[in-house]
């Protein structure tokens, strides 16, 4: 049996699955302390199922903890940034365009030193060992605990980043080092941004991993635990500690994977309506469509692997801005009605009318219209029918606009509704060929975490002159699958889901960089 947990901004959801069957599920408000929240939801899940903890074989967790830390500038380390790009790469300094609050959180510790490569691998400037050593010693003098190293075109040639890392590690034993080539793609500034963010999160990631592990062990669960990453595959705890930034968009990814699993559809649009936002994305082959443009995280442009998700400020906890004096008025006389984007979030069960609060939310509207039985319906605000109709129309227009923005053709497409807030939809959406609302839609994210697969990637140089393209690709694919099996995947389910080829024109013998990514179901011993 396996447990899937998804920690969202409003709710923490958990499911216990036995093979493909959901044995039990629970939903609880998210707590400030993620470890305590996960322990509480696990305790409820075990009590609900009656299954002894000894039968749990693995725990998969999706968390927004690191996203929230970046957005709120909380728990971040100051970061030393070593950029290997002088003199040509000095025009735009590191952290250009960042929000001031985030810049202050990571500090101003940038070191511009000679180095970097052209697109074809030729050196922009030779590696300057002395300059890097001086930077490393200054980082030690400033007592920094994390460093990010970036070099122009490092994904093409990572020699300088690796060399700089060796020097920094020698001068600063124990320091956390993030290399841009391990995290981002070719675009330099976005890749450097991702490396800085990863370095800033490095201490928090250790704390979170330890907190999660302790919470699980306190319940006498000895099974290994994994954390889901942006592409829908799993990371071990030790890997998360090194690359926390790769979990940033795991929540929407979990929901989309869960939606595909519950509906049986591999190609569709998924609308995940939570407590704070609605995340809209496209399923392709059962996985989220990847973003082909830079992703904005907390106001910072990055280019690492991210699902193509459109998030709008509409969820069950979204506030409806309307003067209470106009609750029962005709819609054409009540002036402007605004929906969101602010939300009561995890305070929904305290602040919403149906829970005894005094804040009008989208959930109150759903209860008032008889679309849901949540809280105490007797406490639902008395809204006139015309007000209800106008609010309901605005909600559906917001979702229809989001649906239209993620579609790539004018044809109608199937839409899968998931998330606890899916109750706010009560009619067909324009642009949808059909609306699928699967059973257990409210915990699709936790199911997506539970069914997440093991992933592995091979990134190597091959000579097509000596091997030939077919044999080289076969070797890369075979090794990727072998690594999936070594990481705990079932060989019969392992398959290559992505392969990239980049010609290395500056190297002889038709040298090509091949990257193969494979996934497989997790094997239980």
């Amino acid at each position: 049996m396996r447990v899937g947990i998804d920690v969202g901004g409003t709710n923490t959801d958990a499911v216990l699955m036995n093979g493909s069957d959901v044995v039990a599920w629970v939903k609880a408000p998210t707590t400030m302390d993620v470890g305590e929240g996960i322990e509480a939801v696990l305790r409820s899940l075990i009590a609900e199922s009656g299954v002894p903890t000894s039968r749990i074989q693995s725990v998969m967790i999706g968390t927004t903890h690191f996203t929230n830390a970046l957005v709120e500038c909380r728990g971040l380390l100051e970061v030393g940034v070593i950029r290997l790009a002088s003199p040509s790469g000095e025009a735009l300094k590191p952290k250009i365009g960042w929000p001031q609050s985030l810049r202050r959180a990571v500090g101003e510790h940038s070191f511009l030193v000679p180095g970097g490569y052209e697109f074809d691998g030729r050196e922009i400037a030779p590696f300057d060992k002395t300059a890097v050593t001086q930077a490393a010693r200054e980082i030690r003098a400033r007592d920094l605990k994390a460093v990010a190293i970036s070099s122009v075109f490092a994904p093409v040639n990572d020699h300088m980043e690796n060399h700089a890392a060796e020097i920094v590690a020698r001068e600063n034993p124990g320091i956390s080092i993030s290399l841009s080539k391990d995290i981002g793609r070719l675009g330099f500034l976005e890749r450097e941004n991702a490396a800085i963010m990863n370095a800033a999160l490095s201490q928090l990631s250790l704390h979170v991993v330890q907190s999660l592990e302790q919470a699980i062990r306190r319940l006498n669960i000895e099974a290994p635990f994994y954390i889901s990453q942006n592409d829908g595959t799993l990371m071990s705890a030790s890997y998360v500690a090194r690359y926390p930034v790769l979990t940033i968009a795991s929540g929407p990814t979990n929901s989309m994977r869960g939606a595909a699993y519950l509906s049986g559809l591999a190609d569709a649009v998924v609308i995940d309506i939570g407590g704070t936002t609605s995340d809209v994305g496209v399923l392709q082959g059962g996985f989220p469509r990847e973003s082909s443009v830079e992703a904005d995280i907390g106001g910072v442009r990055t280019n690492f692997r991210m699902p193509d998700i459109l998030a709008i400020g509409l969820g069950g906890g979204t506030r409806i801005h309307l003067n209470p004096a106009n609750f029962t008025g005709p819609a054409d006389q009540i002036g402007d009605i605004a929906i969101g984007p602010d939300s009561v979030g995890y305070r929904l069960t305290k602040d919403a009318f149906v829970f005894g609060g005094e804040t009008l939310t989208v959930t109150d509207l759903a209860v008032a219209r008889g679309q849901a039985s949540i809280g105490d319906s007797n406490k639902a605000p008395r809204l006139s029918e015309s007000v209800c109709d106008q609010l309901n129309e605005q909600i559906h227009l917001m979702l229809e606009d989001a649906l239209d923005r993620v579609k790539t053709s004018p044809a109608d497409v199937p839409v899968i509704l998931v998330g606890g807030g899916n109750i706010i939809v009560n009619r067909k959406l324009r642009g949808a060929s059909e609306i699928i609302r699967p059973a257990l839609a409210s915990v699709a994210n936790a199911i997506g975490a539970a069914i997440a697969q093991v992933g592995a990637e091979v990134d190597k140089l091959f000579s097509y002159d000596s091997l030939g393209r077919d044999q080289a690709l076969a070797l890369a694919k075979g090794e990727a699958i072998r690594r999936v099996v070594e990481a705990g995947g079932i060989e019969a389910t392992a398959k290559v889901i992505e392969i990239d080829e980049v010609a290395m024109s500056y190297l002889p013998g038709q040298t090509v960089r091949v990257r193969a990514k494979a996934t497989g179901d997790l094997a239980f011993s």
Side-chain angles (χ1 to χ4, degrees):
M1 290 188 173
R2 55 192 166 176
V3 172
I5 300 174
D6 187 273
V7 184
T10 304
N11 290 309
T12 297
D13 302 334
V15 298
L16 177 63
M17 298 186 69
N18 185 12
S20 59
D21 298 327
V22 176
V23 177
W25 63 272
V26 296
K27 181 184 283 284
T30 293
T31 59
M32 286 295 292
D33 187 301
V34 174
E36 290 180 3
I38 285 179
E39 182 178 348
V41 80
L42 264 175
R43 197 179 297 280
S44 298
L45 186 71
I46 292 166
E48 175 78 16
S49 66
V51 171
T53 56
S54 59
R55 294 190 61 190
I56 296 174
Q57 297 167 294
S58 65
V59 179
M60 292 81 156
I61 301 172
T63 175
T64 59
H65 199 90
F66 301 114
T67 310
N68 297 340
L70 286 170
V71 172
E72 299 169 11
C73 301
R74 174 172 46 82
L76 304 180
L77 284 178
E78 293 196 27
V79 178
V81 182
I82 299 179
R83 176 189 286 182
L84 301 155
S86 291
S88 62
E90 295 182 357
L92 299 175
K93 306 298 184 188
K95 302 186 286 294
I96 186 78
W98 281 40
Q100 284 300 318
S101 56
L102 201 51
R103 286 180 68 107
R104 284 194 296 271
V106 301
E108 297 293 346
H109 310 287
S110 298
F111 304 89
L112 306 183
V113 299
Y117 298 95
E118 302 283 2
F119 71 95
D120 58 359
R122 287 178 290 120
E123 286 185 354
I124 296 175
F127 183 82
D128 189 332
K129 181 179 177 181
T130 301
V132 174
T133 302
Q134 289 175 343
R137 289 174 179 171
E138 181 61 25
I139 286 171
R140 183 178 62 197
R142 298 185 189 185
D143 197 27
L144 300 179
K145 306 300 181 188
V147 63
I149 301 174
S150 60
S151 166
V152 181
F153 280 107
V156 175
N157 190 338
D158 60 6
H159 175 74
M160 288 192 186
E161 282 197 2
N162 289 333
H163 195 178
E166 291 172 2
I167 294 172
V168 171
R170 187 168 61 245
E171 297 290 335
N172 301 270
I175 196 171
S176 173
I177 301 174
S178 296
L179 303 183
S180 76
K181 56 102 174 178
D182 291 333
I183 299 168
R185 294 174 175 169
L186 282 177
F188 178 58
L189 290 178
E190 293 81 6
R191 173 162 42 86
E192 181 181 75
N193 286 343
I196 298 170
M197 293 167 70
N198 191 71
L201 290 166
S202 56
Q203 188 175 62
L204 180 65
S205 66
L206 289 172
H207 170 75
V208 169
V209 167
Q210 290 173 355
S211 174
L212 296 180
E213 182 162 25
Q214 290 167 0
I216 293 170
R217 302 300 175 236
R218 280 197 291 271
L219 296 174
N220 297 319
I221 298 174
E222 298 300 327
F225 80 94
Y226 303 86
I227 293 182
S228 56
Q229 56 181 330
N230 301 338
D231 63 358
T233 61
L234 298 169
M235 289 191 288
S236 66
S238 60
Y239 200 82
V240 174
R242 290 176 59 195
Y243 303 110
V245 80
L246 297 181
T247 70
I248 291 290
S250 62
T253 301
N254 287 339
S255 294
M256 295 188 69
R257 293 278 293 145
Y261 182 82
L262 290 171
S263 67
L265 294 180
D267 299 289
V269 170
V270 176
I271 301 179
D272 175 22
I273 306 176
T276 305
T277 62
S278 293
D279 297 324
V280 187
V282 178
L283 274 177
Q284 291 179 334
F287 284 84
R289 181 177 68 191
E290 280 193 19
S291 174
S292 58
V293 297
E294 292 80 10
D296 186 303
I297 300 171
V300 178
R301 287 161 60 94
T302 63
N303 65 354
F304 55 90
R305 184 189 302 272
M306 291 283 285
D308 185 9
I309 299 293
L310 173 64
I312 61 174
L314 175 64
T318 297
R319 294 185 62 187
I320 296 174
H321 299 279
L322 172 65
N323 189 328
N326 294 323
F327 280 8
T328 57
D332 57 352
Q333 295 182 13
I334 61 175
D336 291 335
I337 294 177
I339 299 177
D342 52 334
S343 169
V344 296
Y346 64 86
R347 301 190 308 276
L348 176 66
T349 55
K350 294 181 180 177
D351 293 354
F353 273 97
V354 293
F355 292 105
E358 297 180 345
T359 304
L360 182 62
T361 67
V362 171
T363 295
D364 292 315
L365 176 69
V367 174
R369 289 179 62 85
Q371 295 170 212
S373 299
I374 298 174
D376 185 350
S377 59
N378 294 321
K379 296 180 179 177
R382 298 190 180 282
L383 302 172
S384 69
E385 187 173 343
S386 58
V387 168
C388 285
D389 290 344
Q390 183 169 331
L391 289 169
N392 194 53
E393 185 62 16
Q394 282 195 29
I395 287 170
H396 286 76
L397 286 174
M398 292 171 71
L399 294 173
E400 287 166 352
D401 177 66
L403 172 59
D404 192 49
R405 290 168 63 184
V406 303
K407 286 167 54 180
T408 55
S409 80
D412 290 352
V413 295
V415 171
I416 310 170
L417 284 181
V418 296
N422 78 82
I423 56 172
I424 69 176
V425 178
N426 68 342
R427 66 163 171 80
K428 183 182 175 183
L429 299 173
R430 282 183 284 274
S433 59
E434 59 178 325
I435 298 287
I436 301 107
R437 206 183 312 242
L440 299 175
S442 65
V443 288
N445 48 5
I447 292 173
I451 65 167
Q453 297 174 300
V454 177
E457 190 170 276
V458 169
D459 192 350
K460 282 189 172 182
L461 297 178
F462 292 92
S463 171
Y464 280 12
D465 265 358
S466 58
L467 286 174
R469 179 173 181 271
D470 291 344
Q471 187 177 352
L473 294 183
L475 285 172
K477 292 177 181 177
E479 184 167 349
I481 289 177
R482 180 175 59 77
R483 291 186 183 183
V484 166
V485 175
E486 288 177 351
I490 300 172
E491 186 170 4
T493 65
K495 61 181 179 182
V496 175
I497 62 170
E498 185 179 309
I499 191 155
D500 290 332
E501 299 169 79
V502 179
M504 312 299 285
S505 56
Y506 65 97
L507 294 177
Q510 286 194 59
T511 301
V512 177
R513 179 186 180 189
V514 178
R515 188 176 63 179
K517 182 177 178 62
T519 61
D521 293 342
L522 185 64
F524 299 105
S525 58

